[in-house]
Amino acid sequence: MRILDRYIVREFLGVFVFSLAIFIALSAIVDLFDRLSRFFDVSGMVVIQYYMNRLPWFGFQVLPVAVLLAALFSLGKMARYNELLAMKMGRLNSFRIVVPLLVLGLVVSFAALILGESIIPRMNERALNAYRVKVQKVAPFQRTKDNDIWYRAKGNRFLHISLLDTTSGNIRGLTLFELSPDFALLRRIDAREARWQNGQWLLQDGEISWTGPDGTYRVNSFTNFTLYLDEKPIDLAQVMRESEEMSSGELREYIEKLAKTGANSVRYQVDLAAKGSTAFSSLVMALIGIAFALRTGKRGVMTWTGACVVVAICYSILNSFSISLGRGGVLSPVVAAWLPNALFTAAGLGSVLRVKS
């Protein structure tokens, strides 16, 4: 790495680390004030544990803004002291000058992607579970859908469950429909109660109905009946989890599970696509910051800071709007997630290339 590149990297990292620390602290303070009334009834250790697990998520959210300001202020400082002019007089064009910042933006994006697939989901899950159980006093099973459940099981079977207690595995009101490949009803089982015991479902007080080979409709009652299903109580409950608590692989499996049950998974498909686009928004913000910084001249970065903040806000608004369109089915999940990045990358890159050497 050339001496000039090391100098640019050092200037960028100084502003970046400072900005990141400030924004993480501000995010934690805002979140604390938002939840303050709910923290009165819990110990201070619970609050500390919640925020220790939540801080990486706050950092993930503010990374793009920290990169934006780092690119703007580091290059802006060089412009103020005529360092950019000296570089250009040394036969370096504008694009070559900013290459180290683009590489840093890319490195931050990959780091965000890796952390977003490993550490952050696990810590988010611990933080949110602790908050729900210890602060909101919500029992774990109440996070699941426990009534009026329709579930498509293996073997072309459909289940309707009136009430499910996921802590005990007991079902009140179970109906199972067994269908042929062409969706003709082969058998129906109704039970007043079902219990998960020793890896199988034990049905009580019900009846089995089917149509015999001669076309007659037959019904047999039972007191106890063993039903063999691969699905466990927790599978039937369709545990409700936030996208931020899952990695891309877990979210993909969750989407497949929802699809099998016939539930609408569009929201999670958009969130899955957005995991990658959110991570690479740091690179987009680096481009935007560079584009503004190269135009600051000796007037100082403060001249362009306001405009840069407005652009960042516009990006956030467009991103939220695009995600909403995706969840509403207007845009495909991939387009909804990546459209803001594509538009702002094109604008930022075009602006950098138009700067005179």
Side-chain angles (χ1 to χ4, degrees):
M1 182 183 291
R2 297 171 56 177
I3 295 176
L4 181 60
D5 293 336
R6 289 200 297 269
Y7 173 69
I8 294 174
V9 169
R10 187 169 61 250
E11 291 294 316
F12 175 91
L13 290 179
V15 181
F16 172 73
V17 172
F18 178 78
S19 301
L20 184 61
I22 292 297
F23 285 123
I24 289 177
L26 289 175
S27 298
I29 291 172
V30 171
D31 188 82
L32 176 61
F33 276 104
D34 183 53
R35 304 175 189 271
L36 190 59
S37 60
R38 298 177 181 177
F39 285 143
F40 285 147
D41 298 330
V42 298
S43 66
M45 187 56 65
V46 172
V47 178
I48 293 174
Q49 290 175 349
Y50 169 78
Y51 281 105
M52 288 298 293
N53 285 300
R54 200 66 166 150
L55 284 181
W57 172 249
F58 293 150
F60 182 80
Q61 295 294 300
V62 301
L63 266 179
V65 183
V67 170
L68 171 67
L69 292 182
L72 177 64
F73 280 94
S74 59
L75 280 183
K77 178 183 176 182
M78 296 177 194
R80 180 180 180 184
Y81 293 105
N82 292 322
E83 292 173 332
L84 286 182
L85 179 60
M87 295 176 196
K88 293 178 181 179
M89 291 179 66
R91 298 183 181 277
L92 288 177
N93 59 42
S94 298
F95 186 78
R96 174 60 187 85
I97 293 172
V98 303
V99 164
L101 300 186
L102 293 176
V103 172
L104 284 172
L106 188 61
V107 169
V108 171
S109 294
F110 273 113
L113 185 63
I114 293 172
L115 291 174
E117 291 298 308
S118 55
I119 298 174
I120 293 178
R122 301 286 76 79
M123 298 188 75
N124 270 339
E125 186 175 22
R126 287 197 293 267
L128 295 177
N129 281 342
Y131 181 78
R132 294 175 183 125
V133 176
K134 297 181 180 179
V135 179
Q136 294 182 315
K137 310 299 182 184
V138 176
F141 72 87
Q142 290 180 342
R143 292 178 52 216
T144 67
K145 181 176 176 58
D146 56 8
N147 61 84
D148 195 25
I149 299 172
W150 282 95
Y151 189 95
R152 182 171 184 174
K154 294 181 180 179
N156 220 24
R157 293 168 159 184
F158 290 84
L159 295 169
H160 179 260
I161 298 168
S162 297
L163 181 64
L164 169 65
D165 183 351
T166 57
T167 57
S168 64
N170 291 339
I171 291 176
R172 296 284 184 177
L174 170 69
T175 301
L176 180 142
F177 302 91
E178 291 186 354
L179 305 179
S180 65
D182 58 354
F183 288 92
L185 181 62
L186 299 177
R187 186 173 66 159
R188 171 174 173 166
I189 301 176
D190 294 276
R192 181 181 58 83
E193 184 176 348
R195 292 183 292 109
W196 175 255
Q197 185 174 325
N198 299 325
Q200 58 189 10
W201 290 99
L202 302 179
L203 278 56
Q204 296 179 338
D205 300 331
E207 60 183 24
I208 303 174
S209 56
W210 74 99
T211 301
D214 57 357
T216 59
Y217 186 73
R218 303 179 183 181
V219 178
N220 283 343
S221 299
F222 63 84
T223 303
N224 294 287
F225 181 80
T226 300
L227 178 64
Y228 296 97
L229 283 176
D230 293 331
E231 289 74 16
K232 302 175 183 178
I234 198 64
D235 297 322
L236 301 179
Q238 306 174 37
V239 179
M240 305 301 291
R241 301 174 68 188
E242 298 295 334
S243 299
E244 64 197 66
E245 300 177 67
M246 295 180 277
S247 65
S248 293
E250 292 171 329
L251 188 53
R252 195 173 291 109
E253 291 179 1
Y254 187 64
I255 291 171
E256 292 175 358
K257 184 182 293 186
L258 290 178
K260 289 180 181 178
T261 66
N264 189 343
S265 62
V266 173
R267 172 197 167 190
Y268 293 100
Q269 292 177 33
V270 175
D271 291 345
L272 176 61
K275 281 185 174 290
S277 65
T278 301
F280 282 93
S281 61
S282 293
L283 179 59
V284 177
M285 290 296 104
L287 270 174
I288 298 299
I290 290 168
F292 278 99
L294 291 177
R295 288 171 167 76
T296 58
K298 294 187 67 174
R299 291 175 294 175
V301 296
M302 298 309 296
T303 305
W304 291 97
T305 300
C308 206
V309 171
V310 170
V311 170
I313 293 174
C314 290
Y315 173 86
S316 178
I317 293 174
L318 177 60
N319 186 64
S320 298
F321 182 67
S322 182
I323 292 296
S324 297
L325 291 179
R327 290 176 174 175
V330 178
L331 298 177
S332 71
V334 174
V335 172
W338 286 92
L339 180 61
N341 279 3
L343 294 177
F344 277 79
T345 297
L349 189 60
S351 180
V352 171
L353 293 177
R354 285 197 302 271
V355 175
K356 295 182 179 179
S357 301

